[in-house]
């Protein structure tokens, strides 16, 4: 059988129905409380807070002095209730409350990647439509285009020169191929003459002379072939890299010009229309886009002018050296001047690869 624990008189505090303390038991409570407190603590410094479990009302009972005089009224101290304090308390004893500092980003300001891509596609489609309309208008003769006469003339000359240089390059490659076949045939013919000079005692000297002549021609042909291949490589670099890079910048310039004219035409059409509350924002936006494309067009035009100038200087320097090389090598070869032909290759720092000497033998490395 469960036994009831003795009740302490200090633990029972009579409270009326409206939450106030019954004054009849106040003096007895003060005496018992004084006895239970340590020696250094005054009774007037003690406060007892009563929390209601069945109601949200809370009150504070302050003990009176030792003389038994009635305690002065004390304003209630509001402490946070359990419901309000539960979100503020940490979840565990080992956890610490973290305070986040920094800018607060609203949910509406977070950009959706899908919406950004959709916006890019919309801008690209609108720009493509305007540029296509501008191109068709120019071809039909209905639209106007911006023309820089001096720059357009330089671009036309560059394109025409590129076609001519490509033709020279193609012919030089054909000459190199044919010369290689001729040198290969001369080398085989020299070997055949040398073999016959050893087997035909009656014609030993005649076959020997022809063998030496064909071998010398093959050697000079290889020297000339090296000069021609060097000429081809230099001209190919000029045509396929330097000039092509400049023409790529020209294409970007032409694209910028078409965009500039397209947005210029769009702005002119809006300016010719009525001006009201609906059209003014469109005109301002069109003016802004027009200004942006105008700056891009001016920048690309300056880039093309600079590249054309640098290309002309580089082209003159490269072609001057290559044409001198080509002329001296051809003249020395057909004149039979072997020393002059070799001197020409040394002048332009051309090294020939000897057939069969690409890799050294293992006996030579010992």
């Amino acid at each position: 059988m469960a036994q009831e624990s003795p009740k302490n008189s200090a633990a029972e505090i009579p409270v009326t129905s409206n939450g106030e303390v019954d004054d009849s038991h106040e003096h007895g409570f003060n005496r018992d409380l004084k006895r239970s407190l340590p020696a250094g603590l005054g009774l007037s410094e003690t406060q007892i807070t009563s929390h209601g479990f069945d109601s949200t009302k809370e009150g504070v009972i302050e003990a009176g002095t030792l003389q038994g005089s009635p305690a002065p009224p004390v304003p209630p101290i509001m402490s946070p209730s359990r419901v309000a304090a539960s979100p503020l308390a940490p979840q565990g004893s080992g956890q610490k409350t973290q305070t986040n500092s920094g800018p607060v980003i609203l949910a509406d300001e977070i950009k959706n990647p899908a919406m950004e891509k959709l916006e890019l596609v919309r801008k690209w489609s609108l720009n493509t439509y305007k540029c296509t309309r501008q191109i068709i208008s120019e071809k039909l003769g209905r639209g106007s285009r911006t023309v820089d006469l001096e720059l357009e003339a330089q671009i036309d000359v560059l394109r025409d020169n590129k076609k001519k240089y490509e033709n020279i390059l193609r012919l030089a490659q054909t000459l190199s191929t044919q010369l290689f076949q001729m040198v290969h045939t001369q080398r085989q013919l020299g070997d055949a003459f040398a073999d016959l000079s050893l087997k035909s005692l009656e014609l030993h000297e005649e076959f020997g002379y022809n063998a030496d002549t064909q071998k010398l021609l093959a050697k000079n042909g290889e020297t000339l072939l090296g000069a021609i291949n060097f000429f081809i490589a230099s001209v190919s670099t000029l045509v396929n890299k330097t000039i092509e890079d400049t023409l790529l910048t020209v294409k970007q310039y032409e694209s910028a010009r078409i965009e500039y004219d397209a947005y210029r035409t769009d702005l002119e059409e809006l300016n010719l229309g009525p001006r009201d509350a609906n059209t003014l924002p469109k005109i301002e936006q069109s003016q802004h886009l027009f200004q942006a494309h105008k700056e891009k067009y001016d920048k690309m035009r300056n880039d093309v002018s600079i590249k054309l100038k640098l290309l002309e200087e580089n082209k003159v320097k490269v072609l001057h050296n290559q044409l001198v090389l080509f002329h001296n090598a051809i003249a020395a070869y057909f004149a039979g001047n072997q020393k002059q032909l070799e001197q020409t290759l040394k002048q332009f720092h051309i090294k020939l690869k000897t057939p069969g000497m690409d890799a050294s033998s293992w006996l030579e490395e010992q």
Side-chain angles (χ1 to χ4, degrees):
M1 180 181 295
Q3 296 180 358
E4 295 180 359
S5 60
K7 298 182 181 179
N8 191 352
S9 59
E12 295 181 356
I13 303 174
V15 181
T16 60
S17 60
N18 58 357
E20 297 179 356
V21 181
D22 190 2
D23 296 334
S24 61
H25 301 278
E26 180 178 357
H27 301 292
F29 171 75
N30 291 339
R31 288 195 303 270
D32 295 339
L33 183 61
K34 180 180 178 182
R35 294 173 185 173
S36 61
L37 291 176
L41 183 63
L43 186 60
S44 60
E45 299 175 358
T46 306
Q47 293 181 354
I48 299 177
T49 305
S50 172
H51 296 274
F53 294 93
D54 297 333
S55 64
T56 59
K57 296 183 180 181
E58 297 175 355
V60 176
I61 302 175
E62 184 176 0
T65 60
L66 295 177
Q67 287 75 9
S69 59
V74 180
I77 300 174
M78 300 301 295
S79 59
S81 62
R82 294 181 179 180
V83 179
S86 58
L88 302 177
Q91 298 297 327
S93 60
Q95 296 181 354
K96 297 182 179 180
T97 305
Q98 297 180 355
T99 57
N100 297 328
S101 61
V104 179
I105 302 176
L106 300 179
D108 296 340
E109 297 179 357
I110 300 177
K111 296 182 179 180
N112 190 355
M115 296 301 296
E116 291 182 355
K117 293 181 180 180
L118 184 61
E119 182 66 18
L120 291 176
V121 171
R122 188 189 68 81
K123 292 181 179 180
W124 176 82
S125 302
L126 183 61
N127 184 74
T128 304
Y129 163 74
K130 291 185 177 182
C131 293
T132 304
R133 184 183 63 177
Q134 178 66 25
I135 293 173
I136 295 176
S137 299
E138 292 178 2
K139 290 184 178 181
L140 295 178
R142 298 176 181 176
S144 60
R145 63 188 300 264
T146 303
V147 180
D148 190 336
L149 297 178
E150 182 179 358
L151 189 61
E152 293 290 340
Q154 294 177 2
I155 293 174
D156 291 340
V157 171
L158 175 61
R159 286 173 173 165
D160 185 60
N161 288 338
K162 183 175 182 291
K163 293 180 180 179
K164 294 179 180 179
Y165 295 154
E166 288 175 344
N167 185 38
I168 291 176
L169 187 62
R170 184 167 52 253
L171 294 175
Q173 290 173 345
T174 303
L175 178 61
S176 175
T177 302
Q178 294 174 353
L179 181 60
F180 174 79
Q181 294 176 353
M182 185 181 71
V183 169
H184 181 67
T185 303
Q186 289 174 343
R187 190 183 298 110
Q188 289 180 339
L189 189 58
D191 293 339
F193 283 148
D195 183 61
L196 288 174
S197 67
L198 296 176
K199 296 180 179 181
S200 301
L201 299 178
E202 299 83 1
L203 300 174
H204 173 73
E205 295 183 357
E206 288 78 2
F207 280 123
Y209 293 152
N210 282 278
D212 294 340
T213 301
Q214 293 300 322
K215 289 181 180 180
L216 180 61
L217 290 174
K219 182 180 179 180
N220 293 340
E222 291 175 355
T223 306
L224 176 62
L225 187 62
I228 293 176
N229 289 336
F230 186 78
F231 172 81
I232 292 173
S234 300
V235 176
S236 177
T237 302
L238 176 65
V239 174
N240 297 325
K241 292 185 178 181
T242 309
I243 296 180
E244 189 64 29
D245 179 71
T246 305
L247 289 178
L248 180 61
T249 307
V250 170
K251 290 181 181 179
Q252 295 175 355
Y253 157 75
E254 292 177 346
S255 299
R257 197 273 308 166
I258 293 175
E259 291 179 354
Y260 165 71
D261 284 338
Y263 283 91
R264 176 183 56 82
T265 304
D266 191 16
L267 179 60
E268 290 176 354
E269 292 177 356
L270 289 175
N271 287 330
L272 293 176
R275 292 177 175 268
D276 51 19
N278 295 329
T279 58
L280 285 178
K282 296 181 179 179
I283 293 175
E284 293 179 358
Q285 183 181 6
S286 179
Q287 180 68 33
H288 176 71
L289 294 174
F290 165 74
Q291 189 64 30
H293 285 85
K294 183 178 184 300
E295 293 176 357
K296 179 181 178 181
Y297 167 72
D298 293 337
K299 180 180 179 299
M300 294 305 305
R301 181 175 59 183
N302 294 333
D303 291 346
V304 170
S305 300
I306 293 173
K307 281 201 170 185
L308 287 175
K309 183 178 180 180
L310 295 176
L311 175 63
E312 187 65 22
E313 296 175 357
N314 187 29
K315 181 191 70 174
V316 171
K317 181 180 179 180
V318 170
L319 288 182
H320 171 75
N321 295 333
Q322 297 305 316
L323 291 174
V324 170
L325 166 67
F326 191 84
H327 173 267
N328 294 342
I330 293 290
Y333 173 79
F334 285 101
N337 192 344
Q338 182 180 359
K339 293 182 179 180
Q340 181 64 30
L341 183 60
E342 293 177 353
Q343 185 64 30
T344 301
L345 267 65
K346 291 180 180 180
Q347 179 182 356
F348 291 93
H349 307 285
I350 302 174
K351 295 182 180 180
L352 298 178
K353 293 183 180 180
T354 305
M357 296 298 292
D358 294 339
S360 59
S361 174
W362 64 275
L363 292 175
E364 296 177 356
E365 296 178 355
Q366 299 299 326

